[in-house]
Amino acid sequence: MSQGLLRPVPRLFPALVLAGVSFALWAAWLGWDQQRDVQPDGSTTGPYEAWQVGGLVLSLLVPVYWAASRHHVAAAVAGTTVGLTLAAYGDWSDDASGLFMVGVTLVMLGSLAATAAVSAVIRAATRA
């Protein structure tokens, strides 16, 4: 096998690590909670609480900082976005309404925008 075929592997490694870590963090913070809460008026909320989503976001700052501060900004953005999108798809794909793809798309777009902004700030701060 030629060395040219193996050249992209080291460049993909940080993105793959970030995707795996993001997927695992989703499972740890959100994956176990599948019950909707019924309010006294009959409406439902959930299944996630605000503290769970906040914990996921704060936990994701560590691997994103790690990657962005080591000049892997694209890997931080792409890996985190892919991991969260795949986790949301897996978690919500059994939704009977068929609207789960709207939520998955919003997770993808939101994580892409937020991770890009946070990565740019981290990269600018560590460059100085």
Side-chain angles (χ1 to χ4, degrees):
M1 219 162 134
S2 87
Q3 289 295 332
L5 293 175
L6 296 177
R7 189 166 299 173
V9 172
R11 285 188 247 159
L12 286 177
F13 186 71
L16 293 175
V17 168
L18 265 291
V21 167
S22 300
F23 190 92
L25 286 173
W26 178 288
W29 284 101
L30 305 178
W32 55 271
D33 192 358
Q34 301 298 317
Q35 297 289 359
R36 294 199 174 269
D37 300 323
V38 179
Q39 303 300 317
D41 65 355
S43 64
T44 59
T45 61
Y48 313 125
E49 300 290 334
W51 64 268
Q52 290 173 284
V53 177
L56 173 62
V57 169
L58 292 175
S59 297
L60 284 169
L61 285 175
V62 174
V64 169
Y65 178 83
W66 171 82
S69 65
R70 285 166 178 71
H71 309 285
H72 300 296
V73 174
V77 174
T80 303
T81 301
V82 167
L84 291 177
T85 303
L86 290 175
Y89 181 85
D91 198 11
W92 298 340
S93 63
D94 61 348
D95 179 41
S97 72
L99 293 175
F100 75 95
M101 280 307 294
V102 174
V104 171
T105 302
L106 290 174
V107 166
M108 180 186 65
L109 294 174
S111 61
L112 180 68
T115 310
V118 168
S119 296
V121 168
I122 290 170
R123 186 67 194 114
T126 57
R127 189 177 302 170

